[in-house]
Amino acid sequence: MLRRLWISPAVGLLLLGCSTTTELKTRITHPPVELLTAKPLIVQPTDPESESAADLVRQLLQENGYVIRQDTEVTGALLEAFGTPQVQPTGDSALLRVRARLSAPKHSSRLDSRQVSLTSCNYLREQDPCDSRRATLRVATHTVTRQGSVEMTLEEAGRPPRTLTTDYTAATHGVVPALPAGEVLQQMRQALQRLLGDSLKRQEEVATGMEVDRLAADMIALGLYEAATVRLQDHESDLATRLYALGYIEEQRRDLSGAVRYYREGVLSGEHVELFDAAIARIERLRTFR
């Protein structure tokens, strides 16, 4: 089936432009070094204060390919109004209990001073219209700080409970500072990413050593995959480079089958075989994790 491709006039002019080359750099995704668990997860806060942390943990794990099941206690509460309070989980799951604590805001101040020059001018005066004098400028900087901690306990059948703990600090500065909830959540998320580091996917920028059409490389970096595909097919004369770049585009589109097809063709080309083999192996690991 033919697919109609719409390209804006500006992009069309670029596609017809002259060609220079640059090194093809790719940003690839590695599967987790060690899975937190191979089972679907039920993420459960230990108390209402831990709800936000539990939501962050669910989001972070889902983004990294873990299967998250609905908390049976929450589902039971939702169904109780309909006279069906009993909820039975289907299949074997692991339970991840999340407990978060956040301290009261701590306020501190620092007084800074510096010498400044104050000038006033009256240009109606014919001579020396400006007068200057030295002054001391004093500025009080206030800081609001909150200390937080998150504790996660993983429980699954046949294994002892496993507890992971992390701490973080959220702070803001200013003349009249206020610590927004978004700053606390951002610091909490970063702390969770560090804590779960080996259990999450990892991204890495890899220099391939291949010279590719510069405009096509820029389009790939901007996510203009359709236009980049057309540009590569029309302007990239090196077969191995073209196949690797097209495979990388499919990988970014999350079409892993299409990416493997291009990478296997690249192996058959006989050039950069190790690079193509590594890409195929990486995708197979990602498929296994998914």
Side-chain angles (χ1 to χ4, degrees):
M1 178 184 293
L2 294 175
R3 184 170 57 177
R4 182 174 297 173
L5 173 63
W6 182 88
I7 298 176
S8 70
V11 174
L13 289 173
L14 289 173
L15 290 175
L16 297 174
C18 60
S19 175
T20 58
T21 63
T22 186
E23 184 179 13
L24 176 62
K25 295 181 179 179
T26 59
R27 191 165 185 82
I28 61 176
T29 301
H30 296 282
V33 175
E34 179 184 5
L35 287 179
L36 186 64
T37 178
K39 298 177 182 179
L41 277 162
I42 298 173
V43 180
Q44 189 177 89
T46 58
D47 50 56
E49 188 179 348
S50 306
E51 286 282 0
S52 295
D55 286 341
L56 275 180
V57 172
R58 289 190 196 100
Q59 180 184 359
L60 192 58
L61 293 176
Q62 280 182 321
E63 289 173 358
N64 285 271
Y66 289 90
V67 177
I68 304 298
R69 285 187 174 166
Q70 175 67 46
D71 182 353
T72 56
E73 291 187 6
V74 174
T75 308
L78 292 173
L79 294 178
E80 191 170 1
F82 300 93
T84 312
Q86 298 296 324
V87 179
Q88 298 296 330
T90 58
D92 190 15
S93 301
L95 176 63
L96 187 63
R97 299 186 188 275
V98 180
R99 180 179 183 272
R101 291 294 178 264
L102 187 63
S103 70
K106 180 181 178 181
H107 299 265
S108 60
S109 299
R110 186 183 75 250
L111 185 62
D112 296 320
S113 63
R114 68 176 184 270
Q115 294 295 312
V116 297
S117 177
L118 302 178
T119 302
S120 62
C121 297
N122 182 356
Y123 292 103
L124 296 176
R125 291 158 48 182
E126 294 183 359
Q127 294 182 345
D128 301 324
C130 296
D131 296 319
S132 298
R133 61 189 178 90
R134 302 291 294 175
T136 300
L137 178 65
R138 294 182 174 87
V139 178
T141 301
H142 301 281
T143 301
V144 179
T145 305
R146 301 190 75 176
Q147 304 289 336
S149 65
V150 180
E151 179 182 284
M152 296 184 292
T153 302
L154 180 65
E155 302 175 9
E156 53 183 323
R159 294 186 178 184
R162 178 185 171 194
T163 301
L164 304 171
T165 306
T166 186
D167 300 316
Y168 64 93
T169 301
T172 188
H173 313 276
V175 178
V176 185
L179 188 60
E183 175 66 19
V184 174
L185 292 176
Q186 181 180 351
Q187 295 301 322
M188 187 191 299
R189 181 183 174 89
Q190 291 176 2
L192 289 170
Q193 287 176 321
R194 291 191 296 268
L195 179 66
L196 297 171
D198 286 345
S199 300
L200 303 179
K201 295 177 182 178
R202 178 175 58 88
Q203 288 197 332
E204 177 188 14
E205 188 173 276
V206 176
T208 63
M210 294 177 169
E211 289 292 318
V212 70
D213 178 77
R214 180 181 294 275
L215 185 54
D218 291 342
M219 289 174 174
I220 292 172
L222 292 171
L224 303 173
Y225 299 131
E226 293 277 3
T229 298
V230 174
R231 178 76 183 184
L232 286 166
Q233 290 172 340
D234 290 346
H235 289 78
E236 185 52 63
S237 59
D238 184 79
L239 177 61
T241 301
R242 182 169 70 249
L243 290 173
Y244 193 91
L246 291 172
Y248 177 66
I249 287 174
E250 296 306 314
E251 200 172 341
Q252 296 306 297
R253 286 171 162 170
R254 293 186 172 36
D255 181 1
L256 299 186
S257 297
V260 169
R261 184 173 63 252
Y262 282 118
Y263 291 148
R264 284 178 176 160
E265 288 184 41
V267 172
L268 296 176
S269 74
E271 298 181 24
H272 302 283
V273 174
E274 291 183 359
L275 196 62
F276 285 110
D277 283 339
I280 294 170
R282 180 181 68 249
I283 289 179
E284 292 303 326
R285 289 195 300 272
L286 285 171
R287 279 175 165 172
T288 301
F289 175 63
R290 288 171 47 180

